[in-house]
Amino acid sequence: MSDQSESTGGLTFDKSKRNWPNELNVFGALILIVIIFEILGAIFMGQSLLFDTNDRFESIFNEARLRIIIIQVAIIGILALGVTQVIITAGIDLSSGSVVGATAMIAMSFVQVAEVNGGPNPKAIFGPAFLDLPVLVPVIVGISVGLIAGCINGLLVAYSRIPPFIATLGMMLFARGVAQWWSLGNPVSFPTESYAKIGAGMMPVIIFLSLAVLFHLIMNYTVYGKHTYAIGSNEAAARMSGINVPRHLMLVYMIAGGLAGLAAVILTSKNLTAQSGMGLSYELEAIAMAVIGGVSLFGGRGSIIGTVIGALIIGVITSGFTFLRLGAFYQEMVLGCIIVGAVALDQYQQKRAAMRA
Amino acid sequence: MSDIILETKGLTKHYGGVHALQDADFVLKKGEHVAIMGDNGAGKSTFVRQITGVEQRTRGTVIFDGDEVNFAGPLDAREAGIETVFQTLALADDLNVPDNLFLGREKTKLNWLGPFRLLDYKSMREDTMAGLVKTGVKIPNIKNTIANMSGGQRQCVAIARTATFASKLTIMDEPTAALGVQETAQVENIIRTLKEQGESLILVSHNMRQVFDLVDRIIVFRRGRMVANLRKEDTDGQDVVAYITGAKTGAEYEGAA
């Protein structure tokens, strides 16, 4: 502290304290993981993971695999966008996977066709008045169910001061129960053709990326985003600064719920059926994407870009293990290590930053 | 217009059966710097919390800038022109300097977007720079997050809020309690700058030297009551300590405590 000049009275600028965007670290990790798979691929499989080595495609990339990587994370990625915002407020949302399950069952019931193979729909949940409805109905129903679940989470967390872990754990069990009760465990199937288009082909990816851009802008350039970071950073300061913290938390949990509802709509549209077990453990994968992407479980730090890269990391690892013909159990072991590693790294950086200040 | 910026009459706060503050009658003139002293639990912070709307008083009146006021919360007080630098720093560690200065009252564009209205970063940055210049606070890079700053820098940021928002009254609750010597000097310089600019100030402090250096008048609280109202010229450190410890009680407050 002796080298500080008197003119600034202890306010000299230390270049090492400049902010280095954490997203670059996460992106570096993504590149590193890709390189590891490329090397393993070259040694054991004699081919590349991401690049086109057999001249099957027009570009230099293996387009088919790139597409698979992003499609398989797109739907959970949509959940992760909401979960990211919740975690930035220093909360957690364990309910998103179950909300997907419940919403899938309910939304799908509003989109069934009247006739299947010439006969009446054997899986119809409601009477004839609810068959062959316009596509907007199930979409609105789906998002609304998600919003209601998020609203309840928000009320519990913001107004009754129940810890987010417990409140959303309760919602997780409750929503899974709703999913099973809705049709007593039977799948809901046979959606209309227009509904099937929502999740067809690359649509989940387009929706995921559009939402990612939208929420990136919201988190960085709007009052909503600023207050979300402020609450996660120092809730007492946020309250003293006049931010209506409970109302804001309500909004954050509702957005997370609404995104879970939308994810359910896309998932059922893609699979053409809804089952009560849908979305099982999605909440954990969504949290993993956020955490790997540098979102701090202590709140205040993290970004949508980070989470998107986190999602890609999970996508690359999943595809990479399939590519190396290794069983799914190895994949889960490695993912477990990476999640713990990411949090440990975050802790270490936090501690170092605190020591420097 | 009177030249009184703040006046309290019979200000009282009970926490259940605990009488934390009892019938405080207080007057602050415009441009005057007043220190509030007293032992721990004497009612200093309680007094401040009633004025700034952080808590709701049990009874009594608060007159600010000529009008009787009932602040529902700290934001109300702030909008009326009372800036508070809290004992526990009210800063968000992961936000940068302008974000913290404008937290809860951001400058925005496209306000019809409700909670999603856009932040006017440029304008906030300019106002931040102006506020820092006015208070003489030097922060190398206002885009740095608070987490990367020293305790002194943080306190300066908290105080710079005052200057940025052209407030009528600044309240500082132990602004230098956690700071080193050099950083304390920096904060004290800012307080002198505020004095030159005619800013009214209530300073809660335990530091006798600091109080005699900076303020015009000293109020002493003891066990929830005001026990002395001393002009700096008429008193000294030992005298004030006598009031704080209860060895003496001001003539006009006899029988109160």
Side-chain angles (χ1 to χ4, degrees):
Chain A
M1 287 281 156
S2 56
D3 58 340
Q4 285 166 339
S5 66
E6 63 275 38
S7 65
T8 53
L11 301 176
T12 43
F13 179 47
D14 182 352
K15 275 201 173 127
S16 68
K17 289 181 185 173
R18 207 163 26 188
N19 300 328
W20 168 263
N22 191 41
E23 289 78 12
L24 282 179
N25 295 339
V26 184
F27 189 70
L30 174 63
I31 301 293
L32 186 71
I33 290 168
V34 168
I35 291 173
I36 292 172
F37 276 117
E38 290 293 351
I39 293 171
L40 290 176
I43 296 172
F44 295 110
M45 311 303 293
Q47 50 177 305
S48 160
L49 172 70
L50 294 184
F51 295 96
D52 180 16
T53 41
N54 308 331
D55 271 338
R56 287 190 294 146
F57 305 97
E58 303 235 328
S59 73
I60 57 161
F61 292 107
N62 184 338
E63 283 170 19
R65 189 167 282 123
L66 284 177
R67 216 170 286 150
I68 290 168
I69 288 174
I70 189 152
I71 285 179
Q72 68 190 358
V73 295
I75 289 174
I76 302 180
I78 291 170
L79 292 184
L81 297 179
V83 169
T84 299
Q85 297 170 48
V86 170
I87 297 179
I88 289 174
T89 67
I92 192 87
D93 188 359
L94 295 175
S95 70
S96 57
S98 297
V99 170
V100 166
T103 310
M105 301 301 281
I106 296 169
M108 197 67 168
S109 307
F110 288 88
V111 73
Q112 292 176 298
V113 289
E115 270 185 29
V116 177
N117 300 328
N121 188 337
K123 301 278 188 196
I125 298 293
F126 297 127
F130 289 92
L131 296 171
D132 285 328
L133 293 171
V135 67
L136 211 55
V137 176
V139 174
I140 290 173
V141 166
I143 296 175
S144 306
V145 171
L147 284 175
I148 291 166
C151 183
I152 296 168
N153 280 338
L155 281 173
L156 292 173
V157 170
Y159 291 100
S160 39
R161 307 302 296 167
I162 294 172
F165 185 93
I166 300 302
T168 58
L169 181 69
M171 177 56 72
M172 171 182 159
L173 295 170
F174 184 84
R176 187 59 68 195
V178 168
Q180 282 156 353
W181 159 80
W182 184 255
S183 61
L184 303 175
N186 295 311
V188 185
S189 306
F190 306 117
T192 57
E193 246 175 71
S194 52
Y195 186 74
K197 283 183 190 140
I198 298 173
M202 293 297 280
M203 275 305 282
V205 176
I206 294 166
I207 296 171
F208 168 52
L209 293 179
S210 314
L211 286 170
V213 170
L214 176 70
F215 280 107
H216 169 74
L217 295 175
I218 285 177
M219 291 303 281
N220 284 290
Y221 298 100
T222 71
V223 170
Y224 168 85
K226 200 58 72 193
H227 288 183
T228 305
Y229 281 104
I231 289 170
S233 189
N234 186 343
E235 194 181 320
R239 211 176 303 114
M240 273 194 262
S241 302
I243 296 172
N244 189 335
V245 175
R247 203 177 61 193
H248 191 87
L249 286 176
M250 279 286 298
L251 193 54
V252 172
Y253 280 91
M254 280 179 75
I255 286 175
L259 285 169
L262 180 64
V265 168
I266 298 167
L267 185 64
T268 50
S269 162
K270 187 178 165 216
N271 293 1
L272 303 176
T273 178
Q275 281 159 6
S276 58
M278 265 181 164
L280 204 62
S281 82
Y282 275 21
E283 67 279 344
L284 298 179
E285 265 197 65
I287 293 168
M289 287 174 182
V291 168
I292 291 173
V295 181
S296 168
L297 288 169
F298 303 99
R301 286 177 311 118
S303 69
I304 295 292
I305 294 181
T307 297
V308 171
I309 302 174
L312 290 179
I313 288 180
I314 288 188
V316 167
I317 290 175
T318 312
S319 283
F321 275 84
T322 317
F323 162 67
L324 294 174
R325 305 226 177 93
L326 288 169
F329 32 88
Y330 293 118
Q331 209 182 97
E332 280 168 12
M333 290 180 206
V334 168
L335 263 182
C337 295
I338 288 179
I339 291 166
V340 174
V343 174
L345 195 67
D346 177 60
Q347 286 271 50
Y348 171 73
Q349 283 176 333
Q350 281 262 77
K351 214 177 277 172
R352 220 179 41 173
M355 300 235 312
R356 279 192 322 212
Chain B
M1 279 303 274
S2 82
D3 63 345
I4 293 171
I5 185 75
L6 178 78
E7 186 173 2
T8 70
K9 288 177 186 160
L11 192 61
T12 301
K13 176 69 181 178
H14 298 169
Y15 298 105
V18 180
H19 296 194
L21 188 66
Q22 199 67 26
D23 293 319
D25 298 323
F26 174 83
V27 175
L28 182 70
K29 294 198 181 98
K30 279 180 183 155
E32 194 181 19
H33 282 200
V34 169
I36 294 182
M37 303 196 77
D39 226 337
N40 291 330
K44 309 182 300 283
S45 293
T46 308
F47 177 69
V48 168
R49 283 200 294 269
Q50 310 316 309
I51 298 172
T52 53
V54 173
E55 290 172 358
Q56 298 306 313
R57 57 186 179 266
T58 308
R59 57 168 194 273
T61 30
V62 177
I63 300 160
F64 179 65
D65 206 15
D67 300 313
E68 197 179 321
V69 288
N70 285 298
F71 299 130
L75 192 66
D76 274 9
R78 194 184 255 189
E79 271 167 6
I82 302 180
E83 282 294 324
T84 313
V85 179
F86 289 99
Q87 201 166 1
T88 48
L89 292 175
L91 296 173
D93 269 5
D94 301 298
L95 303 185
N96 65 23
V97 177
D99 286 350
N100 265 293
L101 251 53
F102 284 89
L103 193 58
R105 54 185 157 176
E106 292 82 1
K107 291 192 155 193
T108 55
K109 297 180 283 197
L110 303 182
N111 289 329
W112 54 270
L113 286 168
F116 301 106
R117 60 193 185 276
L118 299 183
L119 295 161
D120 188 352
Y121 279 121
K122 186 160 170 281
S123 163
M124 287 195 278
R125 219 162 35 230
E126 284 164 5
D127 284 11
T128 301
M129 291 309 289
L132 294 180
V133 168
K134 197 171 150 196
T135 37
V137 175
K138 293 189 181 73
I139 286 169
N141 185 356
I142 59 167
K143 283 187 168 184
N144 261 4
T145 57
I146 300 295
N148 293 327
M149 291 183 182
S150 68
Q153 284 175 319
R154 289 170 196 226
Q155 195 57 270
C156 290
V157 170
I159 294 172
R161 275 180 172 167
T162 304
T164 314
F165 291 98
S167 61
K168 295 171 185 159
L169 168 63
T170 304
I171 300 175
M172 296 189 193
D173 194 351
E174 307 230 24
T176 59
L179 302 185
V181 175
Q182 206 176 26
E183 294 171 332
T184 299
Q186 167 82 5
V187 169
E188 287 173 356
N189 275 332
I190 295 171
I191 295 173
R192 285 191 195 94
T193 313
L194 293 176
K195 176 75 186 170
E196 283 161 22
Q197 290 168 354
E199 181 88 30
S200 315
L201 173 83
I202 297 175
L203 173 71
V204 178
S205 179
H206 279 299
N207 186 330
M208 199 67 76
R209 178 207 48 83
Q210 183 176 67
V211 163
F212 275 91
D213 266 6
L214 295 173
V215 306
D216 310 311
R217 201 148 56 86
I218 298 164
I219 301 282
V220 179
F221 276 86
R222 191 171 68 233
R223 295 165 65 197
R225 288 174 183 278
M226 255 167 83
V227 292
N229 178 2
L230 312 157
R231 284 181 358 131
K232 184 171 75 176
E233 297 78 39
D234 303 341
T235 185
D236 57 36
Q238 273 192 330
D239 196 35
V240 173
V241 169
Y243 284 111
I244 291 173
T245 54
K248 265 171 98 176
T249 298
E252 68 268 43
Y253 302 107
E254 279 303 347

